Structure formats: C-alpha cells, structure tokens
Amino acid sequence: MISMVENLSECDLPPLPQKFLTGKRKLTREEILILEKTNFNDDPEWNNVWVDEKGFDMSLFKGNEVRGYLVLGALRSVRLKYHDLVLEEGVYNSCLENIIIGADCVVRNVAYFSNYQLADKVILFNIQEMSCTNHSKFGNGILKEGEGEKNRVWIGVANENDGRAVLPFEGMIPADAFIWSRNRADKELMARFVELTEFGNTKKLDTMGFVGSHTVIKNTTLLKDAKIGENAYIKGAFKLKNITVCSSIDEPSQIGEGVELVNGIVGYGCHVFYQAVAVRFVMGRHCHLKYGARLLNSVLGDNSTVSCCELLNNLIFPFHEQHHNSSFLIAATVCGQSNIASGATIGSNHNSRSPDGEMLAGRGFWPGLCSDFKHNSRFASFVLVSKGSYQNELNITYPFSLVASNGEGTPVTIIPAYWFLYNMYAIARNNSKFQKRDKRLIKVQHIETNPLAPDSIQEVVTALDRLVELTGRYLLEKSDIRAMEAAGSIGTEGLMQVAKDFLHQNPDADFELHDRKCQKKYGATILKPVKAYKEYRKIVKYFAASTLLDYCKTRHIASLNRREIVRISELPLFTKWRNVGGQVIPEKKLDELFTKIKNHGINTWDEVHQYYDRMEESYLTYKIAYAVYLLEFLYSRNICSFTAEIFEDIVSDVTAVSNEMYESAVGTRRKDYDDEFRMITFKSKEEMETVLGTLRDNEFLNEMKPRTEEFNARLAGMFTDLV
C-alpha cells in the first residue's frame, strides 16, 4: 500500500555523518540561482547541499532532483574512461536522496538514488534504482535494532531441511562453513558461532550503501542494499539486493548481463555473467558463475566454476568444476578438486519421506556422465564413478577407486587404487594443475592440493585394513583355514596375519572380494584386491618418504640420523585428520579450536582464521610425526629398530613408485597420440600434431622428469646415516 509522506524527515533515513563535511562548504547565493535553472531541490534554500571547497564546476550538475542531503566531491571538466565508455564528470538527470559523492565521479541517468556513499572516480550510468535501507546487512547474517531472529538470513548448506544452516558473513571461507555445519550436536558451539558473526555489529539503524573507488556500474535495473568494493565492474545486471561484492585493484570482481544476486557475499576476483542467479550464498575468491547457473542456499569455495547447471543446499570446497545444462547437485558437502560431469544428478530424495538426505564426498570426487545417486551416500577421496544409475545408497570407503554400476539389484564393482593402476597421469598432475589454477593473491583459505596428504592417506590405511579383513573372510572359505579356526588354533588377529601373509606371498593371485558395507542391500564386488593392497602400501610409503624428505630440506640435512629420529619422536602425533574447507587439520586440533571458542579465548572469525594460519604453519611438523607412524605401522615395529634391509626396502619401493609415476604418466598421455582412433579425424599425423601438439610439448611431463630425478637422488641418501 502506498502511503503519503509530507516531508523527507518522515522517511526515517540516517542523518548526515559529519565526518564527510571536512573540506566541504555550502553553496553561494549565486550558485543556487544558477543551479535552480536546471535542477530541483526539496529545500528551496539549498541548505542541504555541500560541495568541495576547491573544485565545484556548476555546469557539471544538471537535470537533477535533490532530496535530503547531498555532499559533492570535486567536480572538474574532465572525462572518465572505462574500456569504450567515455563520460564527462558530473551529476546529470538523477534523483538524489541522502547521497555522498566522492571526487571526480560520474552519476548519469540514475532514476532513483538513495542513501549511498560513493568513493572517488566512480561511474554510475543508466540505473533505474539504487537505494539502501538504514537496516541493511549487505548479505551478512546479523540483526539490527528491533529485529527478531526471523529476520536473519541463513544459508541452508548440506541439507535441504536447514539442519546444517550457517550464517553468512563477509570474509567467510569454506572452513568456517564446514566447522559450523558438521558439529550440530554441540549447542554451545553453535551459539558461539552466532556470537562470532555478530561481533562488531553496532545494530544501529545508520547503514548507508557503499561503492568503492574506480568502480563502474552501468545499464543496471536494481541495486538495493548493496556494498560494492573498489575496481568492480557491473554491467546490465538485473537485480543486486542485500549483497556485498568484494573487489580490489588486484582482484577485481565483475557482474554481467541479466544477473540476479540476492542475500549473499561475492568474493574477490569473482565473475558472474549471463543470466546467472544466486540466492542465499557465499562465493569464495576467484569463482565463476555463468550461463544461467543457479547457486541457491550454498557456499562455493575459491577457484570454482559453475556454468549452466543448478546447485542447491551445498557446501562446496575450492576447485570445484560443474558445467553443462543438465548437471544437478543438491544437499551435499563436496570437499573440493571435484568435477561434476554432464547429466549427473546428485541428490535424489525419493527414498525418504522428507527431503533430509545428504551426501558427503571427499576431495577429488568425479562422477561420470549421466550418473545419478541416492541420498544418503558417502565417498572417500578421489573416487571416480562411472556412468550409471545408482539406485541404492553408497558408502565408498576406498580412496582413489573406480566405482561402476552393474544394473539395478546387483552389487556395484569397485577397483581400489584405480588411479595409480591405470591413470597415473591424472593423479600425478593433480597437485601442479591446481596450484597453477590458483589465481588468489590473498589466500585466506588454505588448500591442500597434493592427492597424497594425511586426509587421503588415513583413508588408504583404513582401506588396507578392510582389504585384509575381507581377504581373511575369503580364505575362511578354504577348508584348511576353516578347520584351523574351528579347532581354535586361529583367532581374529591370527586370521588377519594369515590374510596379510597371503596378500604378500601371492602377488599374482586373482580373486574377488565382497564388501557388503559399500552399497545398501547388495554390497560391492572388489576387483584386483592383491594389486590394490600392494599399491596402497606403496602409496603410504611414498607419502611417508616424501614427507621425511621435506623435513630434511627444512632442517638443511641430506640424511636422517638417530638424533633427528629422537627429535621427531618428541613431536606431537595425530593419526586422525579432517579436510576443513580444503585445509587438512588434525582432528584433535579442531577440538582445541572449539574449546577456545566456547571458553571465549577466541571471539571473532578473524581469530579463527588466525588459528587456521597457525595450523598451516605447523602442518609439516604434524605430517612428519604421522609419516614415521605410518612406516612403523607398515613394518610393525618402532623405527629405531628398523634394519638396513627395511630402509633399503623403503628406498627401493619408493624409488619404484617415483619412477612408475613418471613412466605411467608418460604412458597414459602417450595413448592420446598413439591410439589409431585418435587419428581418424585427421588427414595425417602432421595435422594431428598441429592441432593437438606433441608429447614433447607437454609442459607438465617436461617439468616432472627433472623433479623425479631430483627426488630419487635425495631419497637414495636419506637413510644412509641410520644404516
């Protein structure tokens, strides 16, 4: 219902902040007489206008309607240029209500412009409405005076029923959303997270919209309750409402044609184009949202790209790729370095009476073309799922595996350690690929890009134990083992040892295992368990050895010695790890963080981020102790009692893995050039090489060769002082 307002004071807009009047003056009577000819002011005396003391060109203020106060920075007879847009400084044909304009700005054809502050050298051109209420939060989940909890804007990540909802705030990173969404049973911690979000909020109804310096906004329909950083570029947007757009000279953000953004935070260096829509969201640094993509009730991690498809109720860690119009992701926590293929449908809730299902996928999750899944499902790190319809819930605990459907009502097939057995190029390239794609200049969210890290290695250790357990069950089907168990001469531990011995002593054995825990009702068939067992052990050794090499490098020593082993033994040991928004942190250190928050030792999100920074600084230290623990786990003894033969075995196995990683990476990539079916669309090999390049030109492989040689040379001498 439209109501009548007698004068501007009844509009309940914030008063003029006095700090903006420094260096400003009132208009002279002569200036007022000239301005009245081409402008209208609610105040006939023009006492509501202040101009710059040193630079006010009256000819640059024409065709405007002034309400409330107006503070003008310097206006000079010069032009501002951005790309092909060239406009003369000044304020033209606009309705201005409680506005503060910085020096050297252009405001042209802004039909309704209310309660905003512009920094210097801002261009506003052809905008229908640009206004800000005094209670705006700019997308943050805070409250103002007189507002109740129903006024908060929550983001329902990971679950459609909002059971894991978090409050957005400027500066939020995926790690924050993760610890908030995954610890719901701790009510005290949940309450403290709200207090951290409210920290520094005065609750006063004195908010003004803001546009940073060197920002250009043109041909846009509506900006309401928006805070725009410096050097941003907004063109042809449809609606920007209750949002913050973070932008800087080094990491400028851009928003393009037909975009609609409501209730959210856009991170530094983001690009949002071509009818994309985001509602209740947080976007990390250097994200791309384009081609009609829909991001709803979600947190999207740094360096992610979403095109065409839809994401609903998700928490997405950094380096997420999701393209193609038919891709769909709902109610999931996806731990980054992921790629959702075309036609993938992730999030069917039809197996429940309520949309409360969810999915948790470790980093490196890669579902194949046109694959679909049921909630609830969980996937270990670097799981590749082949094309298919998966009609039952999945619990894939084997990292680096391939999962395949065999049709409805049958076990799925799993090849553990698939990436290392058959696609080494992809896994070897993973680390350098993501490091090169990281365009952030300020890295608030720490990101582990190495596939072999404590989070994935702990899953490898779990998978090893599971393979041994299942092999023991398989051996029980043989009469001699069954007889031994029946006679009581072999217990659970004895059976596990028999299974380990069998796996070690029969490297060419070819049999299948059945893991009933991997799929509801029908379980999974585990292929090539002996090869997987051997590969997993080699992976653990490689991680441990490479971590110890990193330790030697930081200590400036070529070889470990007894003194260094004693020093390592005194380091804190953590065997359980969490991927926290992309950063790998010991689980106990997370518990320590939560205790500090609940005890008011940490009171702001900035302090939480400082804690993450300390964890990153100590990361190598924590990994070193874990590396030694893993070697002791593999050889079932303390490292101090390792023999020369054990150290030689470690060097031999790890060198073999190192060489295999390079040779397999080359071999995997060579197939792209040698396969006769790659040639069928080309007239000749020369044409193919012109189009595709050659194996010799592969930058990654050319860099990998000397790194492999250096690694092997350092590894050869790492244990010489311990033998």
Side-chain angles (χ1 to χ4, degrees):
M1 180 177 179
I2 298 175
S3 60
M4 302 294 292
V5 178
E6 294 296 332
N7 55 62
L8 193 62
S9 61
E10 295 182 30
C11 293
D12 195 27
L13 289 169
L16 171 62
Q18 295 302 302
K19 64 181 179 180
F20 294 113
L21 297 182
T22 303
K24 302 296 186 295
R25 64 173 176 83
K26 290 290 187 68
L27 294 168
T28 66
R29 186 59 190 167
E30 291 76 12
E31 289 172 330
I32 292 173
L33 290 174
I34 294 172
L35 291 173
E36 283 181 331
K37 294 179 181 179
T38 57
N39 302 277
F40 171 80
N41 193 333
D42 268 1
D43 181 358
E45 302 299 323
W46 288 71
N47 288 323
N48 57 345
V49 178
W50 289 260
V51 298
D52 189 80
E53 289 179 343
K54 299 180 180 179
F56 175 60
D57 187 337
M58 290 181 293
S59 67
L60 305 179
F61 191 89
K62 296 179 180 178
N64 302 301
E65 179 181 347
V66 180
R67 305 171 185 169
Y69 58 77
L70 173 64
V71 180
L72 292 173
L75 289 180
R76 301 177 294 161
S77 184
V78 298
R79 294 180 177 181
L80 297 186
K81 182 179 186 296
Y82 185 82
H83 295 170
D84 295 328
L85 180 66
V86 181
L87 296 171
E88 189 172 26
E89 275 189 23
V91 183
Y92 307 94
N93 305 320
S94 300
C95 179
L96 311 164
E97 178 181 87
N98 291 340
I99 298 296
I100 299 168
I101 299 177
D104 300 312
C105 290
V106 174
V107 177
R108 187 184 290 264
N109 303 336
V110 182
Y112 182 64
F113 189 23
S114 176
N115 193 30
Y116 259 87
Q117 176 201 348
L118 306 185
D120 299 339
K121 294 184 179 178
V122 170
I123 296 177
L124 303 182
F125 178 53
N126 290 346
I127 300 172
Q128 289 189 19
E129 178 182 344
M130 185 170 177
S131 63
C132 181
T133 58
N134 60 2
H135 53 80
S136 174
K137 296 94 174 173
F138 305 126
N140 293 278
I142 59 176
L143 295 177
K144 292 297 186 74
E145 289 178 355
E147 293 183 331
E149 285 297 323
K150 67 178 182 179
N151 294 102
R152 283 196 194 276
V153 174
W154 291 84
I155 300 179
V157 299
N159 189 290
E160 282 188 275
N161 282 358
D162 292 341
R164 299 188 185 275
V166 301
L167 290 176
F169 57 88
E170 186 177 345
M172 173 179 254
I173 60 176
D176 305 329
F178 178 80
I179 63 174
W180 197 332
S181 65
R182 304 303 298 189
N183 294 278
R184 308 305 286 196
D186 193 333
K187 303 301 182 183
E188 182 182 0
L189 183 63
M190 297 299 102
R192 285 290 292 141
F193 284 152
V194 175
E195 292 175 7
L196 264 60
T197 305
E198 286 280 3
F199 184 87
N201 175 24
T202 65
K203 296 185 179 294
K204 293 182 179 179
L205 301 178
D206 59 357
T207 306
M208 295 187 72
F210 177 79
V211 179
S213 60
H214 297 270
T215 284
V216 177
I217 306 175
K218 68 177 186 179
N219 302 325
T220 293
T221 304
L222 173 66
L223 293 98
K224 187 176 181 66
D225 296 343
K227 176 182 175 183
I228 313 295
E230 63 182 13
N231 288 86
Y233 181 37
I234 300 173
K235 58 173 181 174
F238 173 63
K239 179 194 289 186
L240 307 181
K241 183 177 180 181
N242 191 32
I243 67 163
T244 293
V245 178
C246 300
S247 182
S248 68
I249 188 171
D250 295 318
E251 296 177 289
S253 293
Q254 296 187 14
I255 298 173
E257 294 81 357
V259 168
E260 184 172 358
L261 304 176
V262 180
N263 296 337
I265 314 289
V266 178
Y268 288 90
C270 287
H271 290 176
V272 186
F273 290 140
Y274 311 126
Q275 290 78 47
V277 175
V279 180
R280 293 182 181 251
F281 68 95
V282 172
M283 293 174 61
R285 291 178 117 95
H286 290 274
C287 290
H288 299 267
L289 196 67
K290 52 191 178 180
Y291 303 127
R294 299 168 305 282
L295 180 70
L296 312 173
N297 257 311
S298 297
V299 173
L300 184 65
D302 303 358
N303 297 308
S304 295
T305 299
V306 176
S307 301
C308 307
C309 46
E310 183 173 12
L311 283 78
L312 177 64
N313 296 98
N314 295 294
L315 170 54
I316 309 294
F317 290 9
F319 293 113
H320 177 80
E321 296 289 324
Q322 186 169 347
H323 311 280
H324 316 295
N325 201 39
S326 53
S327 298
F328 180 69
L329 183 63
I330 183 172
T333 299
V334 182
C335 295
Q337 298 164 47
S338 39
N339 195 317
I340 309 300
S342 177
T345 303
I346 302 172
S348 169
N349 284 292
H350 295 165
N351 54 350
S352 173
R353 292 185 178 88
S354 173
D356 57 359
E358 57 189 59
M359 188 189 79
L360 176 61
R363 61 192 179 105
F365 180 58
W366 198 323
L369 295 168
C370 300
S371 53
D372 63 85
F373 304 90
K374 295 286 187 182
H375 287 342
N376 290 345
S377 288
R378 185 178 65 172
F379 301 88
S381 300
F382 296 94
V383 169
L384 172 63
V385 185
S386 69
K387 176 179 179 179
S389 182
Y390 296 83
Q391 296 296 305
N392 299 92
E393 297 88 335
L394 299 174
N395 182 24
I396 309 302
T397 57
Y398 299 92
F400 306 102
S401 63
L402 170 67
V403 180
S405 172
N406 297 303
E408 187 174 356
T410 61
V412 296
T413 297
I414 300 175
I415 303 179
Y418 170 86
W419 289 95
F420 293 93
L421 290 169
Y422 300 106
N423 196 1
M424 188 67 80
Y425 176 82
I427 207 69
R429 178 172 168 259
N430 193 83
N431 192 24
S432 64
K433 174 181 70 175
F434 288 120
Q435 288 183 355
K436 289 180 179 179
R437 291 180 182 178
D438 193 348
K439 304 301 181 183
R440 302 170 303 160
L441 296 181
I442 299 175
K443 300 179 180 180
V444 181
Q445 175 65 67
H446 302 290
I447 306 172
E448 174 60 88
T449 57
N450 192 333
L452 301 185
D455 62 327
S456 57
I457 293 299
Q458 73 178 357
E459 293 175 340
V460 170
V461 172
T462 300
L464 278 169
D465 286 341
R466 185 63 173 167
L467 287 174
V468 171
E469 178 186 352
L470 294 176
T471 300
R473 294 180 185 176
Y474 165 78
L475 294 175
L476 278 176
E477 297 178 1
K478 297 186 176 182
S479 59
D480 51 345
I481 301 296
R482 185 182 300 166
M484 293 173 62
E485 185 189 44
S489 58
I490 181 173
T492 302
E493 292 186 6
L495 181 60
M496 293 286 283
Q497 188 58 52
V498 169
K500 285 182 182 179
D501 293 341
F502 179 84
L503 290 167
H504 282 285
Q505 296 166 10
N506 297 273
D508 298 322
D510 186 14
F511 58 95
E512 298 176 354
L513 300 174
H514 182 74
D515 193 336
R516 61 179 179 81
K517 294 183 178 180
C518 290
Q519 180 188 208
K520 187 176 181 179
K521 293 184 180 180
Y522 306 106
T525 300
I526 310 300
L527 302 183
K528 305 182 185 300
V530 178
K531 286 186 176 181
Y533 178 80
K534 290 177 60 179
E535 205 66 30
Y536 276 152
R537 284 181 61 89
K538 289 193 294 184
I539 291 169
V540 174
K541 289 182 188 179
Y542 183 90
F543 164 78
S546 61
T547 302
L548 290 173
L549 282 177
D550 291 340
Y551 172 80
C552 291
K553 187 175 183 179
T554 60
R555 297 285 292 165
H556 305 289
I557 56 177
S559 175
L560 293 172
N561 53 51
R562 297 295 173 184
R563 185 175 61 257
E564 295 294 342
I565 292 299
V566 171
R567 185 175 183 275
I568 292 173
S569 68
E570 295 172 348
L571 298 175
L573 173 61
F574 303 104
T575 59
K576 293 183 178 180
W577 303 76
R578 300 296 297 272
N579 179 354
V580 183
Q583 179 180 5
V584 180
I585 299 177
E587 199 168 273
K588 287 185 178 179
K589 301 305 289 186
L590 273 185
D591 294 338
E592 179 183 298
L593 169 63
F594 300 156
T595 299
K596 287 179 178 290
I597 292 173
K598 290 188 287 188
N599 292 341
H600 295 262
I602 289 178
N603 295 296
T604 70
W605 283 110
D606 284 341
E607 292 175 356
V608 173
H609 294 174
Q610 292 167 13
Y611 187 89
Y612 297 151
D613 292 340
R614 292 194 294 274
M615 291 301 97
E616 187 67 13
E617 292 169 0
S618 301
Y619 184 41
L620 179 58
T621 298
Y622 300 151
K623 283 203 301 182
I624 291 161
Y626 186 51
V628 171
Y629 163 83
L630 290 171
L631 291 176
E632 293 175 341
F633 163 78
L634 292 176
Y635 290 95
S636 302
R637 67 184 72 184
N638 188 283
I639 193 171
C640 293
S641 63
F642 278 16
T643 63
E645 289 75 17
I646 290 178
F647 286 123
E648 289 174 5
D649 183 65
I650 294 172
V651 171
S652 176
D653 280 356
V654 175
T655 302
V657 172
S658 175
N659 290 331
E660 182 183 339
M661 289 179 72
Y662 173 69
E663 293 165 3
S664 296
V666 173
T668 302
R669 192 71 176 109
R670 181 178 289 118
K671 294 177 183 177
D672 294 335
Y673 298 92
D674 294 345
D675 190 330
E676 62 178 298
F677 282 90
R678 295 284 288 184
M679 287 283 297
I680 60 178
T681 60
F682 301 99
K683 295 178 182 178
S684 64
K685 184 176 181 181
E686 289 74 17
E687 182 189 2
M688 184 183 75
E689 291 181 348
T690 301
V691 174
L692 302 179
T694 67
L695 192 62
R696 299 186 304 273
D697 300 328
N698 189 288
E699 181 182 3
F700 167 70
L701 293 179
N702 291 336
E703 293 173 352
M704 187 179 182
K705 184 176 182 180
R707 285 203 308 265
T708 300
E709 293 171 349
E710 179 192 5
F711 178 90
N712 292 346
R714 292 171 55 211
L715 178 65
M718 186 169 65
F719 299 119
T720 53
D721 292 340
L722 289 174
V723 176

